[in-house]
């Protein structure tokens, strides 16, 4: 049962990061997922880093551990321990 809880926490963190990336509420993110208005894919970026690429209403964001990158912005600086300033992963 503990594995399911851990996955739930990770999904909740991802939803929170998507909400922050697109300035939406968590409820709006869930509704967009359910209605097919939000696309997600796991990719490897040009720097070889894993991330989740999310599209919504013509905008694209990449969610990294500890960082959100809106396509068109400068690439994020990875904060591997999520303890430094600027962490946007919800910790």
């Amino acid at each position: 049962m503990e594995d399911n809880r851990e996955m739930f926490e990770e999904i909740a963190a991802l939803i929170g990061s998507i909400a922050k990336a697109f300035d939406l509420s968590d409820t709006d993110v869930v509704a967009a997922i359910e209605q097919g208005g939000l696309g997600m894919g796991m990719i490897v970026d040009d720097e070889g880093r894993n991330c989740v690429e999310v599209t919504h209403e013509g905008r694209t964001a990449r969610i990294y551990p500890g960082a959100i990158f809106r396509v068109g912005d400068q690439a994020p600086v990875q904060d591997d321990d999520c303890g430094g300033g600027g962490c946007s992963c919800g910790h």
Side-chain angles (χ1 to χ4, degrees):
M1 192 67 140
E2 195 163 319
D3 288 336
N4 290 338
R5 232 176 312 164
E6 181 178 320
M7 183 174 281
F8 179 81
E9 290 173 8
E10 291 173 354
I11 291 169
L14 178 60
I15 288 172
S17 293
I18 294 168
K20 186 171 185 173
F22 294 111
D23 196 27
L24 300 170
S25 70
D26 290 359
T27 304
D28 289 339
V29 171
V30 172
I33 293 169
E34 292 174 343
Q35 297 167 6
L38 194 133
M40 288 186 283
M42 296 176 69
I43 68 163
V44 177
D45 69 11
D46 294 338
E47 303 295 319
R49 297 174 295 185
N50 295 323
C51 65
V52 176
E53 186 170 79
V54 185
T55 57
H56 178 67
E57 296 183 347
R59 297 180 295 164
T60 302
R62 292 182 179 166
I63 311 297
Y64 294 84
I68 297 172
F69 169 63
R70 292 173 192 87
V71 174
D73 292 351
Q74 286 188 328
V77 174
Q78 192 99 14
D79 183 6
D80 291 330
D81 66 0
C82 292
C87 177
S88 58
C89 69
H91 289 132

